[in-house]
Amino acid sequence: MASTLADSALTDHSAKSDDDDEEESFDHVLEEFSALPSSPIAKRRSCDSCGRPIKVCICSAFPKERLKISTNVIIMQHSCEESKVLRTVPILSSCLAEDKCKVVIGRRFSSARS
């Protein structure tokens, strides 16, 4: 019985020692990681007109003058689509005469909404 208690005490001590080593190792890794220099990720430059990155700017495909159309265009855009990468609504609205294109952003649209 005495040898069993001594064995379990040794086992507990070695388990604690392993835990302490792992904790010290983890603390060391955290210290090294926190010492790494951090700088914000440089964003790609984007076009002021179409909002796309300069490398994929499509402004050269836009008409030189806004299109003059006889009808009005009302675009009903879901609020989640406003920040999507394709950005088709701003492209369309930048090609049409300002008074001919209206963008309505929302989650639900009813006939009472103006």
Side-chain angles (χ1 to χ4, degrees):
M1 170 101 174
S3 67
T4 334
L5 289 174
D7 290 341
S8 74
L10 285 174
T11 306
D12 288 345
H13 178 69
S14 65
K16 287 181 183 176
S17 176
D18 289 344
D19 289 343
D20 291 342
D21 289 344
E22 286 180 24
E23 189 173 320
E24 287 176 19
S25 175
F26 184 70
D27 288 343
H28 180 68
V29 169
L30 284 178
E31 285 177 26
E32 287 181 0
F33 187 69
S34 65
L36 292 173
S38 64
S39 57
I41 297 172
K43 285 189 163 187
R44 295 185 290 181
R45 289 183 350 145
S46 59
C47 174
D48 294 332
S49 298
C50 68
R52 292 174 177 260
I54 297 293
K55 285 187 174 185
V56 292
C57 172
I58 56 173
C59 289
S60 62
F62 292 177
K64 299 291 181 212
E65 292 183 26
R66 289 178 176 249
L67 301 175
K68 295 176 177 118
I69 58 174
S70 60
T71 60
N72 292 320
V73 176
I74 299 173
I75 302 169
M76 298 185 317
Q77 182 182 28
H78 192 277
S79 57
C80 291
E81 294 292 323
E82 190 176 10
S83 62
K84 294 291 183 186
V85 177
L86 292 178
R87 301 184 43 80
T88 53
V89 170
I91 291 170
L92 176 62
S93 62
S94 69
C95 292
L96 299 177
E98 289 182 37
D99 62 334
K100 296 295 183 176
C101 184
K102 181 177 180 178
V103 180
V104 180
I105 300 170
R107 289 187 178 271
R108 294 181 184 210
F109 301 98
S110 66
S111 59
R113 188 173 179 165
S114 55

